[in-house]
Amino acid sequence: MLKIENLTARVKEGPEILKGIDLEILPGEMHAVMGPNGSGKSTLSRVIAGHPDYEVTGGNITLTTPDGPLDLLELEPFERARARIFLGFQYPVDVPGVSNRTFLRAAFNAVNRARGTYPLDPLEFDTLLQEKIERLGMNRDFIERAVNVDFSGGEKKRNEILQMALLEPRLALLDEIDSGLDIDALKAVADGVAKLHTADNSVVLITHYQRLLDYLTPDSVHIMAAGRFVRSGGSELAREIEKRGYDWILNKAG
Amino acid sequence: MTGSLTKPADPVLEQFEALLPEALEESKDPAAQRAAFEALRECGFPHRKVEAWKYTDVSAAVAGPFKRPHAGAYGLLLPEPVQWKILPDLPTVGSDQPFALLSLALSHGGIEVTVPAGTVVEQLVEIDLPVAKANTLLCPALSIHVGAGSRVDFLVRSDRQGGSSLLSWIAQITVEENAAVSFAKIRTGSGANFCHLQTRQAAGSHLALFDATIGGALTRNDLHAVLAGEGAELDLHGLYAVSGREHADNHTTVEHAVPNTRSRQLYKGIIGGHAGGVFNGRIVVKPGAKGTDALQMNRNLLRSRSAKVDTKPQLEIANDDVRCAHGAAIGRFDDAQIFYLESRGLDRAAAEALLARGFAGEVIDLVKNSAVRETLSGLAEEFFDRSETETAP
Ligand SMILES: Nc1ncnc2c1ncn2[C@@H]1O[C@H](COP(=O)(O)OP(=O)(O)OP(=O)(O)O)[C@@H](O)[C@H]1O
Ligand SMILES: [Mg+2]
């Protein structure tokens, strides 16, 4: 699905943040990336999505699609989205004046037009939206509201999951999708991700907490520190971190 | 009557003067119109050294030549018990208002619409100005009077204006005690459109005014709102959306004349291509007007490098028991928002278009009357579709 080889990246005209990342994710796999604040987790997800603040200084990112491999670094952010990479934001962005419905339909049609599906008119789209909302057990009222404006933390994260449900990514990068959620919201979000995760797509969870992994069991866990993966293992690694913190790994690695 | 002795002949003034006899022929008060023309001669058409016209060049708009055919009909949708009649007297305007003076001098007459006291008008009152066809001059007038305690919504439209036309109109709204009025005026079409609007509110009244300029070669809206009775409240919202080489200029004066009045003002400008926008807002608080509460905000979105906006909020406060605030912002597209939308599959142009629509949507959403709101949304949508095909590579 995704192959990252010796990826290095820096903030444009700034310091190097990713210092050589290797990662291979197979279809149907779920990976977790953990690590201390500032270690580069969000940067990694944003570089995969093509954020313009960063400059890739070395390495490759290749996405496998039914039409063959795609060199992601050659693609604009919107082209990556149309190649069905989805970034769930750590801090979803407010878009004042644009209703969530309008936004979701624009995104849906943009991604699906690229897939060759005929764009849905507002009525057809509403039917689909209704179905997704019900499936995720979400409240319908915030569809009318402006995108993320005055949404609670939990609503923002659920809105990210709703977008994921609509866009049906082959690769979802979910950056702290569990932060700021109460226990019911966490369950709902985890449940949403579990429902959307199939044998044909892959999920990367960036998280600080084992509690998300109580609901979602990753195939691999990677520990990131100072721009590198310092340790990778199975889901037991996350439990170990929960108990012992990062120090024991960092000390060993350092 | 053939040019002044003290001033050199002005070809612009002369071509309007040539239209004066036919205007006077159909006039009910030729003396007043003649006086208005002399006042216009005295003040002259503005050039950019005149402070109030610093950012708006009217020379192309008045160049003409213009024909002055009889005015077409007003389109009126007046639910019971709203009344109308031919405007009996022409309004008075300041001697420093060239386009209002022009409108008086070459007046096509006007209409007066009255809402009796103590009535609630559920249905929207709709008034379409006569249409100014290409290369013509049109000077209509509108006077609205809402009686005490009444509630009513108005939509006034100036549409389908032809190219190289000049429409200069005068409107006034009087809101009596405790009346609640919403009034939206929408200008679309091309040519040059000058509107001189005066409002006057009595005690306890509420006026929600929306001034929309959607396209058009040149638009100048002069608004003078007077809060003349205690407890009067004004919500003033505006949207100006221009592209290509269009230009929209809003000058507002909100005058708090008595104690304990309140005004809220938000104007938003969306300027693309090589277009220009101007906002000049004055809040005037008279010496006795204690307890005034006034807010004014102007926000602008520049959609291109060559788009330009000049914004100037002004406060003139003559006592210290007031709460006044104002601000202005000029922005371009926000990078974080653009990336968020791009990461959802929208290309740059689509992302910008959605953000611009949202920017307009924020002020349109403040319109309470749903029919008016939908009309505005539809027109904004057409504007964006039009201006995108224009800017598409
Ligand atoms: N656009 C940027 N401009 C400047 N510095 C940046 C930028 N993006 C990331 N950084 C810096 O790069 C480092 C890694 O940041 P990143 O957000 O990737 O960390 P993180 O692992 O996601 O942290 P957290 O757990 O707190 O979310 C930090 O030192 C951060 O300040
Ligand atoms: Mg982060």
Side-chain angles (χ1 to χ4, degrees), chain A residues 42 90 175-176:
Chain A
S42 293
Q90 181 173 0
D175 193 356
E176 299 202 18

Side-chain angles (χ1 to χ4, degrees), chain A residues 208-223:
Chain A
H208 287 292
Y209 305 109
Q210 166 62 32
R211 56 173 205 171
L212 178 65
L213 307 180
D214 288 341
Y215 299 100
L216 297 169
T217 312
D219 301 291
S220 311
V221 176
H222 310 277
I223 308 302

Side-chain angles (χ1 to χ4, degrees), chain A residues 177-190:
Chain A
I177 201 70
D178 53 340
S179 294
L181 297 185
D182 66 35
I183 192 72
D184 291 337
L186 177 70
K187 247 187 225 163
V189 162

Side-chain angles (χ1 to χ4, degrees), chain A residues 1-3 23-27 29-31 171 202-204:
Chain A
M1 178 66 70
L2 184 77
K3 191 164 188 181
L23 178 64
E24 177 154 20
I25 303 175
L26 299 177
E29 282 187 348
M30 182 181 289
H31 288 227
L171 174 68
S202 306
V203 176
V204 177

Side-chain angles (χ1 to χ4, degrees), chain A residues 51-52 77-78 81-82 86-87 89 93-98 102-103 107 110-111 148 160 163, chain B residues 334-337 339-348 350 354-355 357-359 361-362 365:
Chain A
H51 197 293
F78 74 89
R82 292 177 187 183
F86 178 82
L87 173 60
F89 281 50
V93 180
D94 292 11
V95 191
V98 177
T102 304
F103 163 67
V111 167
N148 295 327
E160 295 290 288
Q163 291 166 50
Chain B
D334 179 82
D335 290 339
Q337 291 175 342
F339 178 66
Y340 191 59
L341 297 177
E342 286 184 320
S343 78
R344 300 303 183 248
L346 280 70
D347 61 24
R348 174 90 200 187
L354 195 63
L355 291 179
R357 282 171 166 84
F359 188 82
E362 270 189 302
D365 285 347

Side-chain angles (χ1 to χ4, degrees), chain B residues 176-207:
Chain B
E176 299 293 1
E177 285 185 11
N178 302 316
V181 177
S182 86
F183 176 94
K185 125 176 151 34
I186 307 178
R187 177 282 204 262
T188 64
S190 35
N193 191 305
F194 295 84
C195 177
H196 186 83
L197 171 60
Q198 291 167 290
T199 71
R200 188 173 181 85
Q201 291 178 248
S205 67
H206 184 270
L207 174 62

